[in-house]
Amino acid sequence: MKTLKLGLFALLFLVGPNSLNFANDLPNGLTPLTGEEISKTFSNVKDHAQVQDKAKTHATNLWLDDGKFTSTWRNDRSNGIVIGKWYVQEGQRCVIIEAGLPDLTGKPRCGPIYRQGDRYFSVNTDGSIHGIHQLSPLNETE
């Protein structure tokens, strides 16, 4: 059962079964972030994310400036913690899962980041929105 939960989360976390068409469904007024802006924006922040899928998954991500991240996620069916590394490559934020999603461990996933006001949108390689993110400074105790 745990493998099923992790597999479901992996699908929702990285792809999303209710994928949005990039050309038609991204909100107007989005500004793409450069690689430098992604590095600066996602260094030492807490990220409250709404994963865009039918499961209504919410995640709290901690993005550290040393390239590590943790994601504590939950929905009405399950919850878990994902640990990994992040970096910027060719103007995209990339993650490598190290623990929490066995099927995706060690497999880099990259995608662009867009900004609209104080919200950030992470986008999957298929052009669908992965998540909508609201960032706040990381407290010293986190």
Side-chain angles (χ1 to χ4, degrees), residues 4-24:
L4 176 62
K5 289 180 187 178
L6 290 175
L8 173 64
F9 176 70
L11 179 65
L12 301 176
F13 183 75
L14 296 170
V15 177
N18 193 22
S19 296
L20 299 175
N21 182 311
F22 183 79
N24 297 326

Side-chain angles (χ1 to χ4, degrees), residues 118-138:
D118 65 348
R119 298 185 313 166
Y120 295 86
F121 295 76
S122 55
V123 177
N124 296 311
T125 56
D126 68 358
S128 63
I129 296 175
H130 165 66
I132 301 172
H133 309 268
Q134 298 241 302
L135 307 179
S136 60
L138 197 59

Side-chain angles (χ1 to χ4, degrees), residues 11-71:
L11 179 65
L12 301 176
F13 183 75
L14 296 170
V15 177
N18 193 22
S19 296
L20 299 175
N21 182 311
F22 183 79
N24 297 326
D25 293 326
L26 277 176
N28 290 329
L30 292 181
T31 303
L33 271 62
T34 66
E36 186 176 325
E37 290 170 326
I38 293 170
S39 292
K40 191 179 274 189
T41 300
F42 284 87
S43 290
N44 287 333
V45 294
K46 181 185 270 191
D47 167 10
H48 297 283
Q50 288 182 290
V51 180
Q52 300 300 290
D53 57 44
K54 292 179 183 176
K56 294 185 174 43
T57 300
H58 297 276
T60 300
N61 307 307
L62 303 179
W63 301 97
L64 305 178
D65 64 1
D66 66 359
K68 295 179 183 175
F69 80 90
T70 60
S71 177

